[in-house]
Amino acid sequence: MASSTSLLLPTAAAAARRSPSGHRAPPSAVLSPPRRLATLRCLGYARRRAQARHVVACASAASAGSLDALIFDCDGVILESEHLHRQAYNDAFAHFGVSCEPASAAATDAPLYWDEAFYDDLQNRIGGGKPKMRWYFGENGWPTSKIFETPPSSDSDKEKLVDIIQDWKTERYKEILKSGTVKPRPGVLRLMDEVKGAGIKLAVCSAATKSSVIMCLENLIGLERFNGLDCFLAGDDVKLKKPDPSIYITAAEKLGVQSQNCLVVEDSVIGLQAAKGAGMSCIITYTPSTANQDFSDAIATYPDLSNVGLEDLKLLLQKSLVTG
C-alpha cells in the first residue's frame, strides 16, 4: 500500500520544480541551498561588475571630456554686430553706387540696400562678407557701379568688384567700432577672465575679415585680453567659411587639444553646424535675429552669458560626453 502511494505522489524534487500555479519554477529554485546561494552570489557579482564598468566608463568619459579650451565666435557673441555690418554694407553700396536694377531702372540711381529682415535671413544662411555678395549678385545679377559702369562678366572682374566693396565696407565698420558706442555683450569679459585664470585655453574664431575682427577685439575686450588669447583665427585664415568646420578644426590643431575637449560659444545655426562638424560641443547665446533658429544640436542655449560661469560650462561638457 505504501509503495502504491509513493507512485501517486510527486517526489520532493518534482514538487520543487513547479510553482503553486503549476508553472515550472526558475532554475535557482530547484538548486540545493548551497548551490542556490552560490548562484545568487554569482549573479550579484555580475551585476556589481556591470555597474562598476558603467561607473568607470562614465568617469573615463568625464575625464576625457575635461574643458581644455573655450572658443568664442566674435560677431553676435562678443558683440551684437549684425546691424553694424548691415549699416557698413549699405554705406558701401551707396558710396560705390552699386545697383542691381535693370538698365531701364538704373536712371533712378537708387543704390542697393539690404533691409533688416533680408539681412537677418542672409547672414544666418551664408557666413562671411564676400560669400554673401557673391551669392546675392549671382542670384540678382551682377551690378553696375562706379567701379564698373557695366556689370562685370569675367571672373577676375567679379572678384575685383567684391574685393573693393568688401575692403571699403571693412574700413567703414572699423569707424563704427571706434566711435565708442559699441559695448561687449553681458558676461563675455567676466567669463574670458575666469577661463584664463583657471589655466584653460581661450580662443576667438570669426568668419569676418581679420582686420575688422582685430579692430573689434582691441576696442571691445581690450589689448591685454586680446594679446592673451591662445589662438585667434579669422575668415582670411581658412579657405572655407562656416558652416564648414575648417576654422574650428584649425583652432584645435593650433591649441594642441582634442576637439571633444573644446567648447564653442556661437550665436547662430551656421556657427553651431561648424562647431559640430569639427566634433566640438557648442552652447548658443542667441540674439534677436537668431532667436528663432533651430538650436537642438546645442548642449545649452542662453539669451546672454550673464549667469553662465566656468563651472557651468565644465559640467555641461562632461554631461554632453557621458550622455552622448
Side-chain angles (χ1 to χ4, degrees):
M1 188 69 176
S3 61
S4 62
T5 303
S6 64
L7 292 173
L8 295 174
L9 294 175
T11 63
R17 287 196 294 268
R18 296 190 179 275
S19 65
S21 62
H23 294 94
R24 185 170 295 275
S28 60
V30 303
L31 297 174
S32 63
R35 292 185 64 188
R36 174 191 275 183
L37 181 60
T39 300
L40 292 176
R41 283 176 176 170
C42 288
L43 291 174
Y45 175 70
R47 282 195 296 269
R48 289 194 297 274
R49 283 198 64 182
Q51 291 169 350
R53 284 195 298 268
H54 177 70
V55 170
V56 169
C58 289
S60 176
S63 174
S66 61
L67 180 58
D68 292 340
L70 184 64
I71 306 176
F72 284 84
D73 179 30
C74 186
D75 293 332
V77 173
I78 295 176
L79 76 161
E80 287 192 29
S81 58
E82 295 308 330
H83 65 293
L84 306 178
H85 283 290
R86 186 175 71 87
Q87 177 184 337
Y89 276 116
N90 286 332
D91 289 348
F93 297 150
H95 177 78
F96 289 111
V98 176
S99 176
C100 293
E101 297 292 335
S104 59
T108 62
D109 292 327
L112 175 61
Y113 182 85
W114 286 344
D115 63 29
E116 183 176 353
F118 172 78
Y119 190 75
D120 280 349
D121 179 64
L122 178 64
Q123 63 96 8
N124 287 324
R125 288 190 292 114
I126 301 175
K130 292 180 181 180
K132 285 182 176 67
M133 285 191 283
R134 292 189 194 104
W135 176 85
Y136 185 86
F137 297 147
E139 291 290 314
N140 296 277
W142 285 82
T144 58
S145 66
K146 295 177 182 177
I147 303 168
F148 293 106
E149 292 184 2
T150 58
S153 56
S154 68
D155 290 343
S156 60
D157 283 349
K158 289 177 180 179
E159 284 304 300
K160 181 179 179 180
L161 175 72
V162 167
D163 288 345
I164 291 174
I165 295 174
Q166 182 67 31
D167 288 346
W168 196 95
K169 175 264 174 185
T170 297
E171 294 305 313
R172 175 64 182 131
Y173 181 69
K174 290 178 184 178
E175 292 176 0
I176 297 172
L177 290 178
K178 289 179 181 178
S179 67
T181 60
V182 183
K183 304 296 181 184
R185 294 189 69 192
V188 168
L189 301 185
R190 172 190 51 75
L191 189 54
M192 284 185 167
D193 292 343
E194 281 188 45
V195 168
K196 290 297 290 184
I200 296 170
K201 293 182 178 181
L202 182 65
V204 172
C205 293
S206 171
T209 306
K210 176 164 279 189
S211 58
S212 66
V213 182
I214 291 174
M215 179 64 64
C216 170
L217 296 177
E218 287 179 346
N219 281 273
L220 291 180
I221 70 174
L223 282 174
E224 183 176 352
R225 288 190 186 89
F226 176 63
N227 292 328
L229 292 175
D230 297 288
C231 177
F232 162 61
L233 294 173
D236 314 58
D237 296 312
V238 290
K239 292 182 178 180
L240 299 174
K241 310 294 185 184
K242 302 175 186 177
D244 185 271
S246 297
I247 195 166
Y248 287 127
I249 294 172
T250 303
E253 293 171 351
K254 288 184 175 293
L255 291 167
V257 298
Q258 294 183 0
S259 293
Q260 67 177 10
N261 295 339
C262 297
L263 183 59
V264 175
V265 187
E266 277 282 359
D267 71 303
S268 71
V269 71
I270 285 179
L272 172 59
Q273 290 169 350
K276 295 294 288 183
M280 299 179 182
S281 296
C282 181
I283 68 168
I284 293 291
T285 58
Y286 53 83
T287 65
S289 66
T290 65
N292 295 325
Q293 294 182 10
D294 179 9
F295 296 129
S296 56
D297 285 337
I299 62 174
T301 58
Y302 303 99
D304 57 52
L305 297 173
S306 297
N307 299 313
V308 182
L310 177 56
E311 291 305 314
D312 299 317
L313 300 184
K314 289 180 178 178
L315 290 173
L316 282 169
L317 183 59
Q318 290 179 359
K319 181 179 178 182
S320 172
L321 187 64
V322 171
T323 59

